Amino acid sequence: MDRVLSGMRPTGKLHLGHLHGVLQNWKELQDKYECFYFVADWHALTTDYKISHEIKNNTIEMVADWLAVGLNPEKSTLFIQSKVKEHAELHLLLSMITPLGWLERNPTYKEMKNEIKNKDINNYGFLGYPVLQTADIIIYHAKYVPVGMDQIPHLELSREIARRFNFIYKTNFFIEPEPILTDFAKIPGIDGRKMSKSYNNAIFISDKGKDLEKKVLNLVTDTHRVRRTDPGDPERCLAYNFHKIYCTENELEMINKECPKAGIGCFDCKKILLKRISEKLAPIQEKREKYISNKNLILDILEEGSNKAKKIAKETVDKVNEIIGLKY
Ligand code: TRP
Ligand code: SF4
């Protein structure tokens, strides 16, 4: 069976953007491939080394969401990067053969250097971010890497580094990983920008009750619809992006019929949405709470996964040392 690998930096609890964009996809891949999903805690450190003490708790909160959504440790290997030290060893060895120019020209790097003002990323580790990411992937000979558009340049670098290793050491040991692009109906944040924790516009998987109600009922609707009697257009309505994901065909049909003739008010329309989102999240939240109330269970799952991952990673690194002539 081909291998799939992907990782996420531990940012704490996840939101609906993660749920529909990433986790759903990871979950489906479990049945078709041998999957490895890991917490990229060292990658978190490249930008957040000053708040390193938050990483562990963020890991637990994030993996609680993974498990609640249906990532299954019986099917997939769930692990923590820093528990498999071989990633660091391979990163070091790959760093020797990675031309500086490749890293300096990396578009993600250039963009982040310009955009991130609130954190210091002027460090060696951050420049090497894609080299570590390459080690993460090729250490398992992963064939496919499910990622979003933003990670495509990184993956291209991984392919180039793998190719260069093979070329320099005259081997075909590493395979070049291919992306599986997660293409999904992009879900906006509650302010219309991309949903992101740092924009403060996210609906979290764990949101419920009054919190969820406030976020959903406050969603901006068609701004042309000032009065209840004004006709609206779902295509101009921010909330409707959510309806499209959560409501039934019948509900969508009704909304498309009634909204343009002011047959339904926005409040009632968003009430329907709220009900559907709550229904969808309820079973996930129930599972999440079970895990969160038993953090040791989460840590045990990750420990076991890390041990499994380590066996493979160690084999790879032993072989790499042999290939480059450092076997004593
Ligand atoms: N860079 C990825 C992100 O920001 C996380 C990541 C680290 C990753 N290592 C990886 C993703 C290996 C896929 C494969 O989300
Ligand atoms: Fe949006 Fe529904 Fe209001 Fe129409 S009725 S503008 S779809 S919230």
Side-chain angles (χ1 to χ4, degrees):
M1 222 192 316
D2 287 329
R3 281 196 187 136
V4 158
L5 172 132
S6 199
M8 232 187 247
R9 277 169 300 153
T11 49
K13 49 187 188 169
L14 302 178
H15 53 61
L16 299 186
H18 296 114
L19 174 59
H20 298 285
V22 190
L23 295 178
Q24 221 77 285
N25 198 34
W26 284 15
K27 185 180 160 184
E28 280 161 31
L29 291 167
Q30 293 187 118
D31 297 315
K32 285 192 263 165
Y33 299 100
E34 187 187 359
C35 294
F36 292 77
Y37 299 125
F38 74 99
V39 179
D41 57 347
W42 279 334
H43 277 113
L45 224 41
T46 62
T47 53
D48 288 344
Y49 60 88
K50 285 181 186 155
I51 47 169
S52 58
H53 292 95
E54 296 174 15
I55 292 177
K56 181 172 175 186
N57 194 50
N58 283 344
T59 295
I60 291 170
E61 291 286 339
M62 181 173 84
V63 176
D65 282 321
W66 288 9
L67 294 164
V69 163
L71 294 194
N72 181 347
E74 311 268 306
K75 294 184 188 169
S76 305
T77 305
L78 309 179
F79 69 99
I80 299 180
Q81 186 184 36
S82 68
K83 280 188 165 282
V84 186
K85 313 288 183 209
E86 285 75 10
H87 287 228
E89 185 171 348
L90 185 57
H91 165 247
L92 176 89
L93 296 173
L94 295 177
S95 78
M96 305 301 171
I97 64 156
T98 304
L100 260 184
W102 289 9
L103 299 175
E104 287 162 346
R105 278 195 299 272
N106 164 22
T108 313
Y109 177 72
K110 289 200 291 197
E111 201 181 297
M112 303 261 288
K113 283 278 269 191
N114 288 329
E115 271 174 28
I116 299 193
K117 299 281 178 238
N118 57 339
K119 293 176 193 173
D120 163 39
I121 51 170
N122 204 6
N123 55 44
Y124 174 56
F126 188 70
L127 180 67
Y129 187 113
V131 186
L132 179 57
Q133 181 159 338
T134 303
D136 297 336
I137 300 167
I138 67 178
I139 205 164
Y140 301 104
H141 301 288
K143 179 149 187 219
Y144 298 113
V145 184
V147 285
M149 243 345 231
D150 60 314
Q151 293 294 313
I152 293 297
H154 280 158
L155 210 72
E156 193 47 42
L157 258 175
S158 294
R159 295 168 58 80
E160 279 165 6
I161 294 171
R163 202 179 310 147
R164 185 163 163 88
F165 180 94
N166 288 348
F167 175 75
I168 290 176
Y169 297 110
K170 299 185 176 53
T171 171
N172 54 12
F173 184 60
F174 284 125
I175 57 172
E176 293 178 29
E178 292 167 34
I180 297 182
L181 254 183
T182 24
D183 107 82
F184 54 95
K186 268 235 158 64
I187 196 167
I190 56 177
D191 60 358
R193 294 190 288 170
K194 180 181 178 219
M195 190 178 284
S196 160
K197 191 174 188 175
S198 53
Y199 290 165
N200 227 332
N201 65 357
I203 297 179
F204 293 99
I205 293 173
S206 51
D207 280 346
K208 60 199 305 193
K210 285 278 164 231
D211 289 337
L212 182 64
E213 185 178 308
K214 229 172 89 190
K215 288 184 187 177
V216 174
L217 296 184
N218 282 340
L219 283 172
V220 174
T221 59
D222 179 357
T223 48
H224 296 67
R225 229 191 144 179
V226 185
R227 278 173 239 97
R228 165 69 180 80
T229 48
D230 294 338
D233 177 357
E235 292 311 318
R236 280 197 308 245
C237 169
L238 173 64
Y240 191 69
N241 289 290
F242 291 84
H243 285 89
K244 278 193 277 199
I245 296 175
Y246 291 99
C247 290
T248 65
E249 285 298 327
N250 283 343
E251 284 163 344
L252 294 180
E253 211 175 289
M254 181 279 286
I255 292 167
N256 274 298
K257 199 163 135 253
E258 297 300 326
C259 173
K261 53 181 188 190
I264 183 173
C266 292
F267 181 76
D268 289 331
C269 187
K270 287 191 284 190
K271 274 275 193 194
I272 300 173
L273 173 63
L274 176 62
K275 178 160 172 283
R276 291 291 176 226
I277 297 184
S278 311
E279 273 171 12
K280 163 95 183 168
L281 295 182
I284 300 176
Q285 292 170 345
E286 200 182 311
K287 270 181 87 180
R288 188 184 199 281
E289 275 152 33
K290 265 192 218 141
Y291 283 110
I292 277 296
S293 64
N294 188 357
K295 295 188 175 156
N296 282 331
L297 177 57
I298 299 178
L299 291 170
D300 286 347
I301 289 169
L302 291 169
E303 174 80 27
E304 198 180 310
S306 301
N307 289 336
K308 251 167 72 190
K310 194 181 173 79
K311 282 210 188 82
I312 301 167
K314 187 169 181 317
E315 250 174 57
T316 303
V317 168
D318 284 349
K319 185 74 190 166
V320 166
N321 277 309
E322 191 183 318
I323 290 170
I324 68 180
L326 292 187
K327 192 178 175 207
Y328 294 97

